[in-house]
Amino acid sequence: MAKLEIQIQTRKMLKPSTPTPNHLRSLKLSLFDQTVPPLYVPILFHYLPSSEGIIERCDKLQKSLAETLTMFYPLAGRYRKDDLPIHCNDEGVEYVETKVNADLAEFLHQGTKNIELLNDLLLWCVPPDAHLPSSPLLGVQVNIFNCGGLVIAIQISHVLTDAFTLATFVNEWAHISQTGTTNANYIENFSHLPSLFPTIVPPGPQFSPASDIGGSYKIVTRRFVFDALTIAKLKSNSSATLRKPTRVVVVLSVLWKVLVGISSAKHGHSRDSSLCVTIGLRGKSNIPSSEHALGNFVMFGIADLEANQPREELNNFINLVGNTIWDTSVGIGKASVDDISSMYVNTYTKVVDKLRKGDEMDIYLCTSWCRFPWYEADFGWGTPFWVSSVSHGVEAICLIDTKDGDGIEAWVSLTENDMAEFERDPDILTFCPTDIQ
């Protein structure tokens, strides 16, 4: 399957089923929203064939999405970078239905190995020029396969969305589709963080993902599966100095160790290296009512490995990553609103400074989508068979749970040359056998 044959069946700008009230027509951004890169965040939900007809399913998806947008009203608005608020003007979200000339089972067999195929499933749901004043903040592409299988592809603006917000939106949409009723009122949840963490001027140094992360090299993405048994062995073999490492810590540590080895071989010497991991603040801070606040609410934890530090043993990396995440989380729990703002700005500034030193050191950006309820998104025809990312144009690492909830899929994006070395590294071949990719 060299390339998917896809035909657009329906394309429209879908508006909220109920107009947004005048007093909600402008939404301020928070400090966390202000500094995120101008990207769309993609995710795909793959569903096996169902006894319910395609026409009925697509009709249900459209109607329930329009109803969901009445509560997630900023997503139907527009963003103008020269003017910080989101204009909640109900212009709508891009909604596309396509017919894919393939069977889902065949596609899934190919798509897990040829990640670039997945990008075709969201090719039509956002404009090529992201974040123009006319660009929608959300795009949905419903892909219908010959067998009746269905893939819901979503691209959503990072300007007001982190993984928690995206998961909340998707599961509310699924709940409305399945039951015709809503779980809760989310309207106030959008304004909570901007009221606590207003934007600042100037926000400090900014970075462009295309120039500061990806550079001019071709980036390729591959998926590496750490199954539950492998992760359990990695955890049990660890001699972490302070506490037992989590699944995310051991997987990130393996990936970082491999990347450090590739860098040393490429440059002929060891270099300073940093692993920058996004850490969610919900549930860690003691700020009232922040657990369910919508918008971006994460900060980086930075693990630093100096050029002269030991790097042969996996435990060295596990200790660095685990202690960084733990210490950052403990600091968040003790911090006031002002303290968290300062921590965020300082950490963000450090990350940007490191990115600008890319010729002198190595920096790896990582995010974990583990433990979010992606596999609970039941629109009325069962939970997804697979939830996936896509191929990315910037160097980064994204972790997401396997369907059983115990394994982890690592979606790694690197330059072509680095990826070739990465795929044949002994640790990767040992911990991620190709027969389960």
Side-chain angles (χ1 to χ4, degrees):
M1 186 183 294
K3 187 170 176 61
L4 286 175
E5 182 183 329
I6 300 178
Q7 291 184 333
I8 296 176
Q9 305 292 305
T10 300
R11 188 171 193 173
K12 63 174 66 175
M13 202 60 68
L14 195 67
K15 301 177 184 295
S17 58
T18 303
T20 300
N22 289 334
H23 70 282
L24 297 175
R25 288 276 169 161
S26 179
L27 176 71
K28 294 180 179 179
L29 297 182
S30 75
L31 168 63
F32 303 95
D33 300 325
Q34 182 186 12
T35 49
V36 298
L39 298 172
Y40 284 108
V41 179
I43 190 167
L44 276 61
F45 296 83
H46 305 252
Y47 295 90
L48 297 178
S50 165
S51 58
E52 188 174 8
I54 286 295
I55 294 176
E56 290 78 14
R57 281 193 279 173
C58 290
D59 184 60
K60 186 184 293 185
L61 283 172
Q62 284 196 49
K63 290 180 178 177
S64 57
L65 177 56
E67 292 175 28
T68 308
L69 290 174
T70 64
M71 291 177 293
F72 290 79
Y73 63 98
L75 296 178
R78 295 294 182 267
Y79 172 60
R80 299 173 177 84
K81 189 168 177 59
D82 57 341
D83 156 24
L84 287 174
I86 300 288
H87 297 271
C88 308
N89 51 17
D90 294 344
E91 285 193 28
V93 305
E94 188 85 37
Y95 179 85
V96 183
E97 291 174 8
T98 74
K99 183 74 175 72
V100 184
N101 188 23
D103 285 340
L104 184 58
E106 178 191 2
F107 167 74
L108 289 176
H109 177 72
Q110 294 292 327
T112 55
K113 304 180 189 312
N114 186 358
I115 299 302
E116 286 74 18
L117 282 176
L118 295 169
N119 291 60
D120 292 345
L121 298 180
L122 45 68
L123 185 62
W124 306 105
C125 63
V126 291
D129 297 318
H131 298 102
L132 292 175
S134 60
S135 298
L137 299 178
L138 170 67
V140 174
Q141 183 170 325
V142 179
N143 301 278
I144 303 156
F145 286 73
N146 291 337
C147 60
L150 185 149
V151 177
I152 300 175
I154 295 172
Q155 292 214 87
I156 195 165
S157 172
H158 202 347
V159 169
L160 74 163
T161 311
D162 59 7
F164 173 89
T165 306
L166 175 55
T168 303
F169 164 74
V170 170
N171 277 279
E172 179 60 20
W173 177 19
H175 179 81
I176 292 176
S177 174
Q178 183 180 22
T179 68
T181 61
T182 179
N183 268 325
N185 184 349
Y186 295 95
I187 287 178
E188 293 303 320
N189 293 7
F190 277 105
S191 58
H192 188 64
L193 292 176
S195 67
L196 292 173
F197 302 98
T199 55
I200 58 175
V201 181
Q206 304 272 315
F207 70 88
S208 165
S211 60
D212 291 342
I213 305 174
S216 58
Y217 302 98
K218 182 180 178 182
I219 306 297
V220 296
T221 301
R222 298 290 182 267
R223 165 181 169 265
F224 302 91
V225 180
F226 292 77
D227 64 23
L229 181 59
T230 297
I231 292 175
K233 288 179 178 178
L234 285 168
K235 291 172 68 174
S236 64
N237 291 338
S238 164
S239 57
T241 54
L242 293 181
R243 59 196 64 82
K244 206 67 177 171
T246 65
R247 296 181 312 141
V248 167
V249 166
V250 295
V251 169
L252 285 179
S253 299
V254 170
L255 300 178
W256 192 19
K257 177 178 181 292
V258 173
L259 291 167
V260 164
I262 292 171
S263 172
S264 296
K266 181 168 63 175
H267 295 98
H269 59 85
S270 298
R271 306 209 307 175
D272 290 346
S273 183
S274 293
L275 189 80
C276 302
V277 187
T278 55
I279 298 174
L281 304 186
R282 297 175 185 86
K284 297 182 178 69
S285 77
N286 56 14
I287 300 170
S289 304
S290 64
E291 278 197 43
H292 303 290
L294 300 178
N296 290 287
F297 198 34
V298 300
M299 73 167 58
F300 279 113
I302 306 174
D304 291 318
L305 178 70
E306 295 179 0
N308 59 357
Q309 285 183 272
R311 53 190 63 208
E312 291 77 23
E313 298 297 326
L314 179 59
N315 276 316
N316 294 331
F317 292 88
I318 290 176
N319 284 324
L320 278 172
V321 177
N323 292 341
T324 295
I325 294 175
W326 174 264
D327 292 344
T328 304
S329 299
V330 169
I332 292 165
K334 297 177 180 178
S336 65
V337 169
D338 288 343
D339 291 337
I340 288 178
S341 296
S342 297
M343 288 172 63
Y344 178 80
V345 171
N346 291 340
T347 304
Y348 175 83
T349 302
K350 287 179 183 177
V351 171
V352 175
D353 287 343
K354 289 176 182 291
L355 286 168
R356 289 175 171 171
K357 295 177 182 176
D359 292 337
E360 306 166 21
M361 64 168 296
D362 301 309
I363 179 167
Y364 305 104
L365 302 183
C366 312
T367 186
S368 171
W369 286 12
C370 295
R371 297 306 187 207
F372 288 109
W374 307 115
Y375 282 95
E376 295 176 17
D378 183 351
F379 288 85
W381 46 82
T383 56
F385 175 78
W386 185 37
V387 178
S388 76
S389 186
V390 296
S391 179
H392 294 277
V394 296
E395 292 188 84
I397 296 169
C398 178
L399 306 185
I400 188 167
D401 290 318
T402 53
K403 187 175 175 62
D404 62 14
D406 296 320
I408 288 179
E409 296 183 10
W411 292 71
V412 181
S413 300
L414 298 171
T415 63
E416 279 187 300
N417 290 341
D418 286 351
M419 183 60 74
E421 298 298 323
F422 191 91
E423 288 182 295
R424 57 176 172 251
D425 183 89
D427 281 341
I428 295 301
L429 293 173
T430 299
F431 300 131
C432 307
T434 55
D435 60 340
I436 63 171
Q437 297 304 319

